[in-house]
């Protein structure tokens, strides 16, 4: 399988994710944008995690803003990876060598329930 080079602007976390995806899977052209976005978000998550070494709460007992943003970026990363619909692993049975693909779409906003 041909090895794709990671974009130069990616950091260490982004490059790890890039290689984890592109070394094992054949990514379609329309999904390549999602992969690159996910890698950039992985870099943002790594930078945010490194910026809060003292813990999630400051001296006054409030949650640090970087922790809140890190949580939001992790949610975004999860959604981007789910949208790629990567295979989940081995098939349902030992005789089925094809990996199962995720069947769900990205989750949208919740609607109002009628009373």
């Amino acid at each position: 399988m041909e090895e794709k080079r990671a974009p130069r602007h990616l950091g260490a976390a982004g490059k790890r994710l890039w290689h984890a995806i592109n070394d094992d899977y054949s990514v379609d052209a329309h999904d390549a944008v999602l992969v690159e976005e996910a890698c950039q978000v992985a870099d943002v998550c790594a930078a945010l995690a490194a910026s809060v070494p003292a813990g999630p709460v400051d001296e006054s007992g409030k949650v640090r803003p970087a922790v809140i943003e890190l949580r939001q970026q992790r949610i975004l990363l999860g959604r981007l990876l789910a949208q790629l619909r990567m295979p989940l692993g081995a098939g349902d049975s030992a005789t089925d060598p094809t990996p199962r693909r995720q069947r769900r779409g990205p989750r949208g906003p919740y609607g109002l329930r009628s009373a």
Side-chain angles (χ1 to χ4, degrees):
M1 183 181 293
E2 154 187 349
E3 182 176 328
K4 294 182 182 179
R5 297 191 109 169
R8 290 184 180 184
H9 65 274
L10 293 179
K15 285 181 181 178
R16 275 193 308 273
L17 180 58
W18 175 271
H19 289 295
I21 293 171
N22 284 294
D23 290 353
D24 293 336
Y25 304 103
S26 175
V27 178
D28 295 334
H30 62 277
D31 285 337
V33 174
L34 290 175
V35 171
E36 189 169 344
E37 286 292 321
C39 293
Q40 290 173 358
V41 172
D43 284 337
V44 171
C45 287
L48 286 168
S51 73
V52 264
V57 179
D58 65 10
E59 301 79 27
S60 65
K62 293 183 179 180
V63 176
R64 297 179 193 275
V67 173
I68 296 168
E69 184 61 26
L70 177 59
R71 183 189 68 198
Q72 295 297 323
Q73 292 294 318
R74 286 178 174 166
I75 291 169
L76 174 60
L77 180 59
R79 288 181 177 170
L80 286 168
L81 293 175
Q83 199 167 3
L84 285 169
R85 298 177 183 258
M86 301 301 292
L88 294 173
D92 291 333
S93 67
T95 60
D96 183 12
T98 59
R100 296 181 303 144
R101 294 183 58 83
Q102 295 181 4
R103 291 182 176 88
R104 66 182 186 271
R107 190 171 211 170
Y110 292 101
L112 294 175
R113 287 189 178 174
S114 58

